[in-house]
Amino acid sequence: MELGLVELLRAAWIAGTLPILIASLPCSWLGSFHGLVLGFARRGKIMQSSSHRKFTVPQRFFSHFYVVAVAWTTLLLLGTSIYAYRMTPIVSEPFFYSDLGSYLAGRSNIFSFHRSRLMSLENRYRVWLSVFLLLLMEVQVSRRLFETAYVFKYSASARMHIFGYLTGLFFYTAAPLTLCCTCAPEVLKFGINEVSEFILKGTSSMQNIEFHWWDFVNPLLKLGWCQWIGAVIFFWGWIHQHRCHAILGSLREHVGKADEYVIPRGDWFEIVSSPHYLAEIVIYAGMVFASGGADLTIWLVFGFVVSNLVFAAAETHRWYLQKFDNYPNVLSEAIEFYLIV
């Protein structure tokens, strides 16, 4: 059986998630495997506290993830948007209801005649949904690129494992592709045909197309309430993650030594140890909701994000407990303060 893009992506996400889930099991005989996975996941302050510094790269290489992500997501967004605009415009509702009315009136032959058109409507919805999801991803990775350049101030000694670095490159290549994987083969074929026709016929093959913003925005507005609730969830996590990253970035300005750390305070740091990870989970939960929740591949992306970040957050919390004797007391006082307010 020939494997398609969707099947390959699903296999990749499962292969990336299973080792983390296995390493997270509370079994003593999995201790060595837990240590191996943890060694791959360590970075920054956690890596500095570890003696395993072989096969590492500077943590400032995080910027590579988002350079790749912005370039790749932009390419996918442009290609899918052009395909959607040119080939899959959303049909008007009056036309749809006239077909449905013909069927209810007993003229089934007319309904059969338009069956392919109605099936095509489902395909058009799928393509425009991919455009919507890619727009959300573009907003996310663009902000992360900005933060790595202007918000975070990585220590010169901060490192991360080369395997973690390669995993990051994989994620920001595969995640945007997953959001449009159901229509990516069609978009690719469309792009190849357009380029081939241009090479053979030159500029004379280019259609004189007028672009109207409303014709692009209108199909997105017709997607449905599910997509917009998902977008609200997405931006809720997006805003809080930016705030938490700003707090982490500001810590470097208030410490005397390069390897000195203080407990972050403010926003979701008053509730959990790694609120930027929690916000990332909220962001991708918003994407799952916006997708309609029917795409298994996007659920697998979410599973990878949750397992990876929960695993990293647990290690970060353990590091805080070891580094600061009063850390649990500080956390409980903050929660108590918020409950009183």
Side-chain angles (χ1 to χ4, degrees):
M1 181 178 66
E2 183 179 355
L3 293 178
L5 176 62
V6 173
E7 290 75 20
L8 290 175
L9 286 171
R10 289 177 179 177
W13 290 122
I14 293 172
T17 304
L18 277 181
I20 302 174
L21 294 179
I22 295 173
S24 301
L25 295 175
C27 301
S28 57
W29 54 276
L30 288 174
S32 58
F33 184 73
H34 176 88
L36 177 65
V37 175
L38 186 59
F40 291 153
R42 283 191 172 115
R43 60 177 181 266
K45 56 182 177 289
I46 311 299
M47 174 68 74
Q48 288 178 346
S49 65
S50 171
S51 59
H52 304 286
R53 293 175 61 87
K54 294 182 179 179
F55 307 109
T56 64
V57 296
Q59 194 178 7
R60 66 176 182 273
F61 282 12
F62 252 73
S63 60
H64 298 178
F65 300 161
Y66 307 116
V67 170
V68 170
V70 169
W72 179 232
T73 305
T74 301
L75 178 63
L76 291 175
L77 177 59
L78 286 176
T80 308
S81 298
I82 294 172
Y83 174 76
Y85 186 83
R86 290 270 303 273
M87 305 299 292
T88 61
I90 299 295
V91 297
S92 61
E93 292 183 359
F95 181 84
F96 172 81
Y97 287 120
S98 66
D99 288 343
L100 185 59
S102 298
Y103 170 73
L104 295 176
R107 286 174 285 176
S108 57
N109 58 323
I110 297 179
F111 184 77
S112 300
F113 177 78
H114 291 300
R115 181 174 298 172
S116 60
R117 184 183 296 274
L118 296 179
M119 292 297 293
S120 178
L121 182 60
E122 180 181 351
N123 179 64
R124 295 172 187 185
Y125 174 86
R126 176 170 51 86
V127 174
W128 282 103
L129 177 59
S130 297
V131 173
F132 186 83
L133 295 175
L134 286 172
L135 282 170
L136 294 181
M137 178 61 81
E138 184 78 13
V139 171
Q140 169 67 359
V141 297
S142 297
R143 196 205 78 235
R144 295 301 303 272
L145 179 60
F146 170 83
E147 289 172 345
T148 56
Y150 299 105
V151 176
F152 287 117
K153 301 173 181 62
Y154 296 111
S155 169
S157 60
R159 313 285 295 180
M160 62 178 167
H161 199 280
I162 184 66
F163 190 83
Y165 174 73
L166 295 176
T167 300
L169 291 177
F170 158 76
F171 177 82
Y172 284 106
T173 302
L177 184 60
T178 298
L179 299 179
C180 62
C181 63
T182 56
C183 64
E186 305 166 20
V187 174
L188 178 61
K189 185 181 297 185
F190 169 78
I192 292 175
N193 290 338
E194 291 293 306
V195 172
S196 300
E197 187 174 358
F198 176 78
I199 293 175
L200 293 175
K201 300 182 180 179
T203 56
S204 61
S205 65
M206 299 178 63
Q207 301 179 21
N208 186 18
I209 300 176
E210 295 183 3
F211 179 80
H212 300 286
W213 278 105
W214 179 247
D215 292 338
F216 179 80
V217 174
N218 189 41
L220 297 176
L221 297 177
K222 289 184 175 181
L223 287 177
W225 61 269
C226 189
Q227 283 66 51
W228 295 107
I229 292 179
V232 170
I233 297 172
F234 170 91
F235 280 107
W236 180 48
W238 190 90
I239 291 170
H240 280 285
Q241 188 178 59
H242 178 63
R243 290 176 179 173
C244 294
H245 284 167
I247 292 170
L248 288 174
S250 66
L251 294 181
R252 187 66 60 188
E253 301 173 355
H254 300 94
V255 296
K257 299 179 181 179
D259 296 330
E260 183 180 347
Y261 293 96
V262 297
I263 298 174
R265 302 298 298 267
D267 203 71
W268 286 358
F269 278 106
E270 308 296 344
I271 304 173
V272 294
S273 298
S274 301
H276 49 312
Y277 293 161
L278 175 61
E280 185 101 354
I281 292 173
V282 173
I283 286 169
Y284 283 92
M287 288 190 182
V288 171
F289 202 99
S291 71
D295 192 330
L296 175 61
T297 318
I298 296 180
W299 275 106
L300 291 175
V301 176
F302 183 64
F304 176 85
V305 170
V306 172
S307 60
N308 182 56
L309 295 182
V310 169
F311 188 81
E315 179 64 15
T316 300
H317 186 70
R318 280 190 289 267
W319 184 89
Y320 277 124
L321 292 175
Q322 296 171 0
K323 183 75 173 179
F324 304 102
D325 295 334
N326 64 332
Y327 183 71
N329 295 330
V330 171
L331 198 60
S332 62
E333 288 173 3
I335 295 174
E336 182 180 356
F337 171 77
Y338 270 87
L339 290 175
I340 293 175
V341 173

